[in-house]
Amino acid sequence: MNIGVLTSGGDSSGMNAAIRAITRTALHYGFDVFGIKQGYNGLLNDTIIELNRGSVANIIQRGGTILGTARSDEFETEQGMAQAKKTIDKHNINAVIVIGGDGTMRGAKIFSEKFKVKMIGLPGTIDNDLYGTDYTIGFDTAINSALDAVDRIRDTAASLERLFFIEVMGRYAGFIALAVGLAGGAEEVLIPETPTNIDALANKINDNIRKGKKSNIIIVSEGDEAGNAFAIAEKIKKCINEPYRVAVLGYIQRGGAPTANDRILASKLGFATVEALMQNIHNCMVGEINKKIVFTPFEETYTKKKNIDSDIYKIIKILSE
Ligand code: F6P
């Protein structure tokens, strides 16, 4: 079997560990492995490199992706997909492993069905918003990087007795915000999954100040329906008599050396993906739920909603009283 592997969409820490696990497992079983550069664009442009054991040496600890990544609009066109199929046939690739988020799984679902290509996915995104896995590769690193930043900001917040709105990534999902809010001891967390009430938030901040809280940290998920951190701060401004600052953490959440959890998850899932292909399992994403490997059809990974842990939300509220 000739196996192609690509990373697509936003990079996430642990993608390299997954590429390493896939390559080494495939070579162990006697397969050839081809790295496809810059996501689905590599199939359009025929930028394919053969991977050997050495190609993936010394990458388990590196963030980003050695294959490069892209969000490819062209791949989504009929013409783009036909071109991609030509490249796959040219290299005699029998199966393609894709590592990425919901857009990556959507592309794989359409392409695999239309052109009868065996594909299998690995969840790689900091957002943790894919159905079919407890955690996505890169989420743990992202929350630890964000937490480190929140801890630093807390020093300033406490010293100057200031209110801070800290915006974290997550696109349309609040997983990063919730985790960082709980671990960072935030006063409030605003996420897209729950309605944000500006008056209630202002009351809570005012109460906290009355109770003698010296600093308040509000974690805002970038996808919150009430707006981003600047917009929310602007709305709150009228109801509080308190100076505030806004910090947008941005791309520091995406890169950096993967945590042990991300390296372990990526290695386990990368290994499982090759073994799945050997059993002719494909057109699905490989995830881990309750420590067990599970296979979820591509379509369900992005159409079914992965629920947030509402206990975390409740705990944050109580612990910050
Ligand atoms: O999906 C990962 C993510 O980092 C989101 O959290 C964020 O909204 C988005 O990617 C940013 O996308 P881009 O890298 O295209 O700016």
Side-chain angles (χ1 to χ4, degrees), residues 10-11 71 125-127 169-171 176 222 251 254:
D11 58 293
R71 302 189 197 276
T125 165
I126 64 166
D127 300 334
M169 279 186 168
R171 207 182 281 267
I176 295 178
E222 65 174 350
Y251 290 90
R254 275 252 288 265

Side-chain angles (χ1 to χ4, degrees), residues 43-58:
L43 291 175
L44 303 177
N45 308 329
D46 192 8
T47 40
I48 313 273
I49 48 164
E50 190 158 357
L51 298 176
N52 55 40
R53 281 187 175 75
S55 338
V56 294
N58 208 19

Side-chain angles (χ1 to χ4, degrees), residues 1-299:
M1 187 161 52
N2 290 340
I3 298 177
V5 55
L6 62 83
T7 47
S8 165
D11 58 293
S12 67
S13 293
M15 281 181 161
N16 282 328
I19 295 167
R20 172 181 177 271
I22 289 163
T23 304
R24 297 250 167 112
T25 308
L27 294 172
H28 170 83
Y29 286 118
F31 306 130
D32 288 330
V33 190
F34 296 89
I36 300 159
K37 306 274 270 182
Q38 306 301 138
Y40 289 115
N41 282 345
L43 291 175
L44 303 177
N45 308 329
D46 192 8
T47 40
I48 313 273
I49 48 164
E50 190 158 357
L51 298 176
N52 55 40
R53 281 187 175 75
S55 338
V56 294
N58 208 19
I59 64 167
I60 194 168
Q61 79 285 10
R62 280 169 55 191
T65 157
I66 58 158
L67 293 177
T69 184
R71 302 189 197 276
S72 176
D73 292 335
E74 206 188 331
F75 176 71
E76 289 178 15
T77 64
E78 188 78 29
Q79 216 182 359
M81 290 205 179
Q83 183 57 39
K85 175 72 165 91
K86 273 190 199 157
T87 306
I88 287 172
D89 291 344
K90 179 180 161 193
H91 294 273
N92 291 319
I93 292 174
N94 313 107
V96 181
I97 300 176
V98 297
I99 309 169
D102 55 352
T104 306
M105 300 306 148
R106 197 176 299 115
K109 141 96 181 149
I110 299 168
F111 184 61
S112 59
E113 282 182 2
K114 243 187 184 150
F115 290 90
K116 307 282 169 264
V117 175
K118 279 188 194 172
M119 296 183 92
I120 192 157
L122 254 92
T125 165
I126 64 166
D127 300 334
N128 199 29
D129 58 348
L130 284 170
Y131 181 87
T133 191
D134 285 339
Y135 297 107
T136 54
I137 297 163
F139 173 69
D140 190 63
T141 307
I143 60 174
N144 278 290
S145 302
L147 184 61
D148 180 57
V150 169
D151 287 348
R152 288 163 193 265
I153 291 171
R154 184 176 281 288
D155 288 346
T156 298
S159 304
L160 282 153
E161 303 192 354
R162 240 181 216 167
L163 163 64
F164 265 92
F165 294 88
I166 305 178
E167 183 180 301
V168 296
M169 279 186 168
R171 207 182 281 267
Y172 308 115
F175 294 100
I176 295 178
L178 266 190
V180 171
L182 180 59
E187 272 57 48
E188 190 66 69
V189 174
L190 309 181
I191 53 174
E193 291 85 349
T194 58
T196 293
N197 181 326
I198 295 293
D199 292 334
L201 177 61
N203 287 342
K204 173 149 189 189
I205 293 169
N206 284 328
D207 273 359
N208 284 349
I209 293 163
R210 261 195 302 277
K211 278 190 280 185
K213 273 206 180 208
K214 299 275 183 256
S215 58
N216 280 276
I217 291 193
I218 317 297
I219 304 289
V220 183
S221 182
E222 65 174 350
D224 190 78
E225 80 290 351
N228 62 20
F230 280 104
I232 287 171
E234 194 59 36
K235 288 178 191 169
I236 290 280
K237 201 162 84 176
K238 301 168 202 116
C239 320
I240 55 170
N241 192 18
E242 193 65 14
Y244 69 84
R245 294 289 186 272
V246 175
V248 178
L249 300 189
Y251 290 90
I252 62 157
Q253 295 159 96
R254 275 252 288 265
T259 57
N261 282 338
D262 272 330
R263 297 181 202 195
I264 292 165
L265 180 66
S267 302
K268 281 160 81 175
L269 295 186
F271 176 82
T273 306
V274 176
E275 290 216 319
L277 284 175
M278 290 166 70
Q279 293 161 43
N280 210 23
I281 296 170
H282 51 83
N283 294 9
C284 59
M285 185 190 82
V286 184
E288 190 186 57
I289 296 179
N290 292 332
K291 302 276 169 217
K292 293 238 157 42
I293 295 294
V294 290
F295 304 104
T296 306
F298 281 136
E299 197 169 6

